[in-house]
Amino acid sequence: MASLSVTNLHKSYGGRDLFTALSFDVPDGCRLALVGPNGCGKSTLLRILAGEAGADRGEIKTGDAAGVGYVAQELSPDDLSQGILAFVLAVFPSWADFWARWESALAARDETLLARLAREQADLEARFGYNPEHKAESVLMGLGFTREEFGKTVGQFSGGWRERAKLARVLVQGTGTLLLDEPTNHLDLEAVEWLEEYLLSFPGALAFVAHDRVFLDKVATHVLPLGTAKPTPRKGNFSQYLAWTEEQEVVRARQAEKIEARIGHQMDYIRRFRVKARKAAQAQSKLRSVEKLQEELSGLAPERRRKSLSFSLPEPPPAEKVVMQAVDLAFSFSGGAPLWKPLSFTVYRGQKIALVAPNGAGKSTLIKLLTGGLAPTGGSVLPGAKTRLGYFSQHQTEILSLSGTVLSEMRRLSDPRCLEEELMGTLGLFLLGEEYFDRPVARLSGGEKSRLVLASLFLRRCNFLILDEPTNHLDLESREALIEALAGFSGTILLVAHDRWLMQEVAEEAWALTREGVTQYLGGFEEYERCRRREAAETPKNCPAPETQLRRKLDKDEKRRQAELRNALSREMKPKKEAYDRLMLDLDAVAEAQAEAERVLALPETYADHERFLRLTSEYQRHKEREEELLLELAALEADLAALEARRAELLGLEATQAERAS
């Protein structure tokens, strides 16, 4: 039985249908990614599945008596007063209470109750393990907490760290079904990677929403696209889903082209013979056929997509060769030690740099020093004479005035020479059209505030952009648009982000910030990642214990088994791919023959030769039947290949996870 089963779910909000007759299953081992634009109902669906919100109608079943694991929105005063470790451990049952009941049943010689308690004990140990305290500590440390912080109360931490504590509590509570809404928010790179490994080894059912494309690709085994006409889970990760949708668009376009050609031939015949009495009945029959073909054609039309962010940054004004220079730059908070040794570096025109380091290393502090938000305690920051700086802060309130309206903030933040029409047009470009102009900034969502800051940068025509978490609050489509715009920008960029896809696609080099200074990786974020993993692998370790040696032997056997599985999958895929290519050639040939038969059938001389007309009609029908057969065979092969690709991706993901663990 599926751990989570949804049948005929309906939900409307604000007079608009979010889901209509939505049905899907999430079995154990399935990691279902809910994707779609902002407003399509992803978070609403998770809240309904968690029982935090109600559906208009439909049925939800879970096979786990313990319910589902879902991160609660609010923390109570009691929660805030608890220590972090105690807060997480609160989800575990009281073993003292259990053993008291056991002793009582033992004293009463109640065999029935003892048997029930034995089953309860086995269930508790299966769900929480034999050492739940160790599990809770491991999860907290994986999410970035230190052992020294375990005694601090939840209320002593900032909002982002409280969210991590709530996530830790859900991960250790032992349910077989997890529902996670943006679990990578507030996590640094190391914590995100730890969470990926944790979820890859999670044996239950997982449904989640994430805007981190790398996370989606590594974790998801299935994708459910919401906001489409008929949302249906598709096997594979997010990139595989995108490839499949592109392929389907090509197939639909090809089918639509064929139908349009058939309609054209039919209409030629109708126009030619409609007025002739002998052919009028046939022309009328053709007209009915055209109407059916048009219905079929309308079913192949691409779905109407919601308006999404799409823009290119304007050509920036020229800058000098040196855009910015730091000389012996130092900073320390009042009474504290310096964050790093004095920093000296130069940012040159056209560089695109990702500034990387763990949380707490001082990335945002360095950004504020470069943008003038903080004064250095030593050294200096020297911008170039022609440098026009644009700054995006992950904390929009550092830039935006919440009391102003959207249009007034756009006017304040943009180039003062901009015309009102430019301000309004650019706001529309960033999906903040006329209905937003007089709206107070305080009433905007996080994503809308981010788009407002980006819109102001657009009109300031800066040649040096410093961006601190620019993809925060943006949905996947908006992130892709921003990444494309930044990749095509001819100016200089220095960015801080936890979005690995953004850093891979935009940054041409990575600068790693440590207490010792800045290390430059000219190969970009990917080179930085390779070096970081290699350094971790080369860190000296103590002589392995016998059980470690045994584990290595088992790992070696597992690698051999995985290689055999990979080879078997390749052998199974090869003939299917070859068969698919042959069928595509056959389909093209049949389509050409069908089109030629249609062309000849539409000629007046063909109709005059009754015997030839019948023969060509029979050939045309055979071509049509063969086309349908080929399409069915292609669909079956496509499904087989997709399943094999998903198995191979899952195997490669498992190997990558094991390799990372080994390092």
Side-chain angles (χ1 to χ4, degrees):
M1 177 182 177
S3 285
L4 188 65
S5 180
V6 176
T7 306
N8 203 32
L9 193 69
H10 293 251
K11 178 66 176 178
S12 297
Y13 184 77
R16 182 170 63 90
D17 288 335
L18 288 179
F19 325 119
T20 304
L22 178 64
S23 298
F24 61 91
D25 290 331
V26 189
D28 286 337
C30 173
R31 300 186 292 273
L32 179 68
L34 310 180
V35 301
N38 280 351
C40 70
K42 302 185 295 293
S43 294
T44 300
L45 178 56
L46 284 182
R47 292 182 68 239
I48 291 171
L49 298 179
E52 298 282 322
D56 297 333
R57 62 181 182 275
E59 186 178 24
I60 300 170
K61 293 181 180 178
T62 176
D64 189 352
V68 298
Y70 177 71
V71 176
Q73 296 299 309
E74 301 295 336
L75 289 169
S76 69
D78 287 342
D79 292 332
L80 294 174
S81 66
Q82 289 190 74
I84 284 287
L85 182 58
F87 170 74
V88 173
L89 287 172
V91 298
F92 294 126
S94 169
W95 284 103
D97 174 67
F98 173 83
W99 290 118
R101 287 185 288 133
W102 179 277
E103 293 294 337
S104 177
L106 195 61
R109 297 185 179 180
D110 188 337
E111 296 296 333
T112 304
L113 180 55
L114 284 169
R116 188 162 65 245
L117 287 170
R119 289 194 297 272
E120 181 182 341
Q121 180 185 4
D123 176 62
L124 290 172
E125 289 174 346
R127 285 174 56 198
F128 302 116
Y130 295 98
N131 191 344
E133 291 84 358
H134 176 71
K135 181 178 180 182
E137 291 174 357
S138 297
V139 170
L140 281 168
M141 293 175 73
L143 293 177
F145 292 92
T146 63
R147 195 174 293 278
E148 291 73 24
E149 293 172 323
F150 287 172
K152 286 186 178 181
T153 65
V154 176
Q156 289 179 270
F157 289 90
S158 66
W161 286 93
R162 292 179 192 180
E163 292 299 318
R164 294 193 192 204
K166 286 155 63 175
L167 176 60
R169 185 170 176 163
V170 167
L171 294 180
V172 303
Q173 74 182 56
T175 58
T177 302
L178 285 178
L179 306 174
L180 302 180
D181 193 356
E182 289 288 354
T184 61
N185 277 3
H186 313 292
L187 300 184
D188 58 15
L189 181 59
E190 288 75 12
V192 170
E193 291 176 341
W194 178 89
L195 180 61
E196 286 170 350
E197 288 192 22
Y198 184 93
L199 295 178
L200 286 172
S201 62
F202 177 64
L206 168 65
F208 70 99
V209 174
H211 291 153
D212 181 330
R213 179 157 173 177
V214 177
F215 183 85
L216 280 167
D217 277 348
K218 286 191 173 183
V219 174
T221 61
H222 295 74
V223 172
L224 177 61
L226 298 176
T228 58
K230 294 180 180 179
T232 305
R234 180 80 189 173
K235 191 168 186 180
N237 63 23
F238 184 68
S239 289
Q240 289 168 336
Y241 164 73
L242 288 182
W244 176 80
T245 55
E246 290 173 5
E247 184 181 322
Q248 290 302 107
E249 286 176 5
V250 171
V251 171
R252 280 197 298 269
R254 188 181 297 163
Q255 291 174 339
E257 188 178 333
K258 293 176 183 176
I259 293 173
E260 285 171 347
R262 290 169 64 185
I263 290 174
H265 292 314
Q266 303 277 36
M267 291 304 297
D268 286 343
Y269 179 88
I270 291 166
R271 283 191 290 269
R272 190 177 293 117
F273 297 112
R274 196 171 196 173
V275 296
K276 296 186 179 182
R278 290 179 57 195
K279 300 290 187 180
Q282 290 179 347
Q284 192 63 31
S285 174
K286 292 281 185 185
L287 189 59
R288 287 193 295 271
S289 175
V290 165
E291 290 172 353
K292 290 182 180 178
L293 287 172
Q294 286 173 335
E295 288 179 12
E296 189 177 344
L297 184 61
S298 65
L300 293 172
E303 291 187 6
R304 289 184 60 188
R305 296 182 178 177
R306 301 183 186 203
K307 192 174 181 182
S308 59
L309 188 63
S310 177
F311 70 102
S312 297
L313 288 163
E315 185 66 24
E320 295 174 321
K321 182 178 180 181
V322 175
V323 174
M324 183 171 281
Q325 195 169 26
V327 180
D328 294 330
L329 186 64
F331 182 81
S332 59
F333 291 101
S334 180
L339 292 184
W340 344 267
K341 290 182 178 179
L343 302 176
S344 295
F345 57 82
T346 302
V347 179
Y348 293 99
R349 181 181 59 229
Q351 282 184 295
K352 291 183 178 178
I353 303 160
L355 184 62
V356 293
N359 274 4
K363 299 188 298 294
S364 292
T365 300
L366 178 57
I367 290 292
K368 289 178 182 177
L369 291 169
L370 298 179
T371 56
L374 284 174
T377 53
S380 58
V381 175
L382 306 172
K386 295 183 179 179
T387 296
R388 296 187 62 176
L389 180 64
Y391 173 46
F392 181 101
S393 170
Q394 63 172 313
H395 306 292
Q396 296 105 331
T397 52
E398 294 178 352
I399 294 174
L400 297 172
S401 171
L402 299 182
S403 60
T405 66
V406 168
L407 187 56
S408 68
E409 278 301 281
M410 187 67 174
R411 194 181 293 117
R412 181 179 71 85
L413 294 170
S414 300
D415 189 319
R417 294 169 294 180
C418 289
L419 301 174
E420 201 78 356
E421 291 78 8
E422 287 183 279
L423 298 176
M424 294 179 177
T426 303
L427 283 171
L429 180 66
F430 284 80
L431 310 183
L432 297 169
E434 188 174 352
E435 69 273 22
Y436 286 92
F437 291 169
D438 296 323
R439 187 174 300 182
V441 172
R443 287 176 48 201
L444 298 181
S445 68
E448 290 163 348
K449 289 174 185 172
S450 293
R451 296 204 303 272
L452 177 55
V453 176
L454 289 171
S456 70
L457 290 180
F458 184 92
L459 282 186
R460 286 177 65 186
R461 294 180 174 84
C462 307
N463 52 27
F464 182 26
L465 296 177
I466 295 184
L467 311 173
D468 189 3
E469 300 290 355
T471 56
N472 271 9
H473 308 293
L474 295 182
D475 63 15
L476 270 169
E477 291 180 336
S478 297
R479 287 184 181 212
E480 291 292 327
L482 176 61
I483 288 170
E484 187 176 344
L486 293 176
F489 180 55
S490 59
T492 309
I493 295 174
L494 174 66
L495 64 88
V496 170
H498 292 145
D499 187 327
R500 290 164 290 178
W501 186 251
L502 168 70
M503 291 190 283
Q504 288 172 16
E505 295 298 303
V506 174
E508 294 168 356
E509 52 190 283
W511 289 10
L513 178 64
T514 68
R515 291 188 180 277
E516 299 302 311
V518 171
T519 303
Q520 299 181 1
Y521 295 88
L522 300 183
F525 180 70
E526 291 181 348
E527 184 193 352
Y528 163 73
E529 280 287 87
R530 284 196 302 272
C531 291
R532 184 170 67 88
R533 289 194 170 93
R534 185 170 64 246
E535 286 171 5
E538 291 172 354
T539 300
K541 297 179 176 63
N542 294 329
C543 184
E547 61 269 20
T548 306
Q549 294 174 344
L550 176 60
R551 192 181 305 116
R552 287 180 178 174
K553 180 182 185 302
L554 293 174
D555 288 345
K556 189 175 181 181
D557 292 341
E558 177 65 13
K559 286 179 181 178
R560 186 184 299 111
R561 187 185 70 83
Q562 289 171 350
E564 291 171 355
L565 283 174
R566 262 200 328 272
N567 293 335
L569 282 173
S570 298
R571 288 194 298 271
E572 192 174 350
M573 289 175 75
K574 184 178 179 182
K576 289 182 183 292
K577 285 182 176 179
E578 292 172 350
Y580 188 89
D581 292 340
R582 287 196 301 271
L583 288 175
M584 286 299 297
L585 291 173
D586 290 347
L587 184 62
D588 289 340
V590 168
E592 290 177 10
Q594 191 175 343
E596 177 62 18
E598 284 180 342
R599 185 189 68 78
V600 177
L601 281 168
L603 297 175
E605 55 266 32
T606 303
Y607 280 87
D609 187 341
H610 184 66
E611 187 175 327
R612 187 185 181 203
F613 175 78
L614 290 176
R615 177 170 52 79
L616 285 172
T617 301
S618 177
E619 286 181 11
Y620 173 78
Q621 190 59 35
R622 285 199 304 275
H623 292 321
K624 189 174 180 181
E625 290 171 357
R626 179 57 180 155
E627 180 185 49
E628 292 174 355
E629 290 173 2
L630 288 170
L631 287 171
L632 287 173
E633 291 179 44
L634 282 168
L637 271 175
E638 181 189 343
D640 290 346
L641 286 168
L644 291 170
E645 283 287 0
R647 284 169 56 193
R648 184 166 68 175
E650 191 170 353
L651 185 62
L652 291 172
L654 179 62
E655 290 177 354
T657 300
Q658 291 174 341
E660 288 178 7
R661 284 174 178 166
S663 67

